[in-house]
Amino acid sequence: MKSQNKTLFVFALLITLSSCKAQTTSIIKEGAELTLVADGYDFTEGPAVDKNGDVYFTDQPNDRIVKWDASDNSVSDWMKPSGRSNGLYFDLDGNLIACADEKNEIWRIDVEKNITVLVKDFENKKLNGPNDLWIDTKGGIYLTDPHYKRPYWNRTQDTIPKRVYYLSPDNEEISIAAENYSQPNGIIGIPDGKTLYVADIGYPGSSSDKKTYSYSIQADGSLINKRVFCEMGSDGMTIDNKGNVYLTGNGVTVFNSNGKQIEHIKIPEAWTANVTFGGPNQDILFITAMDSVYTLEMNVNGIR
């Protein structure tokens, strides 16, 4: 029944998308259908695209990383257990970097699935729970550290301030990049390494702290010039080759580089967690939402 309801939703979405055909600059491919790839998960998150255009995503409650094969639109378990991985991102050498939430760590997972713990604490204190990350052109890692209490944690330590951290390219030094958030969550940078976007998703019932900020990135990885990019927080984020920024939560909301909303993509789920671009040409928007994952063909491309 759920799949039938989703099919009806897709037909309704097609009608909406058809009304936009006159907009020749639409970021969505003309006639594109929102496609349900797979469902039956508990909560999907953390999509990351590899060099082939395949997308890896997490099903955190089931402690697994799943791979979507762009060549045949199939999904299969890639790693289980996975350290309760949440956000994912591929580094410059093709390793999968994971926010391993089980022990509040950052993992590097190579192609043979060997694990190296890159971050296990900050100043001898456990992180709150690394959530999402972005890797710059030098290999440095920015990561968000909000606090969402997990039923599988067995810890007595008080939480530390909710921050964005930066792990140096040699993986030797972790430092505070930014702080003073309610719940820092989604994070993405532009390819030239000059601008970083960080979403403060805030708390349920509060709108005052739900914002996305932009920062200027300095040569040493530090952040300056904090500015409000838009009055909306986000769970996950991505960016396309036109500089448009994609935020999630109530579907996918797209803002141009000036912070003006240009598109809203409805998703037939109560919550949309994250988004990236997949496929060989990175022109397929890959969306994780509750128990499901979706794709949508686009006129724009993602940028690795």
Side-chain angles (χ1 to χ4, degrees), residues 136-154:
D136 66 21
T137 56
K138 296 175 290 187
I141 302 172
Y142 291 92
L143 61 110
T144 58
D145 187 42
H147 181 259
Y148 299 102
K149 186 174 175 56
R150 308 299 191 190
Y152 45 81
W153 283 346
N154 182 20

Side-chain angles (χ1 to χ4, degrees), residues 89 92 134-142 166-167 169 190-191 193 217-221:
Y89 207 92
L92 306 180
W134 177 72
I135 300 176
D136 66 21
T137 56
K138 296 175 290 187
I141 302 172
Y142 291 92
Y166 182 67
L167 180 63
I190 65 174
I217 302 175
Q218 301 301 286
D220 62 356

Side-chain angles (χ1 to χ4, degrees), residues 17 20 23 26-28 252-255 261-265:
L17 295 178
C20 299
Q23 300 178 17
S26 174
I27 60 173
I28 301 171
V252 180
T253 306
V254 187
F255 295 81
Q261 182 177 331
I262 60 171
E263 185 64 79
H264 180 257
I265 302 169

Side-chain angles (χ1 to χ4, degrees), residues 190 197 229 239-245 255-258 303:
I190 65 174
Y197 296 98
F229 173 71
I239 193 167
D240 67 26
N241 63 324
K242 303 296 184 182
N244 301 312
V245 180
F255 295 81
N256 65 18
S257 58
N258 295 318
I303 307 171

Side-chain angles (χ1 to χ4, degrees), residues 51-72:
K51 63 181 181 180
N52 299 318
D54 301 328
V55 174
Y56 294 66
F57 63 94
T58 58
D59 181 15
Q60 191 181 42
N62 290 314
D63 196 12
R64 60 179 169 175
I65 297 173
V66 184
K67 178 184 177 181
W68 171 70
D69 192 318
S71 66
D72 61 7

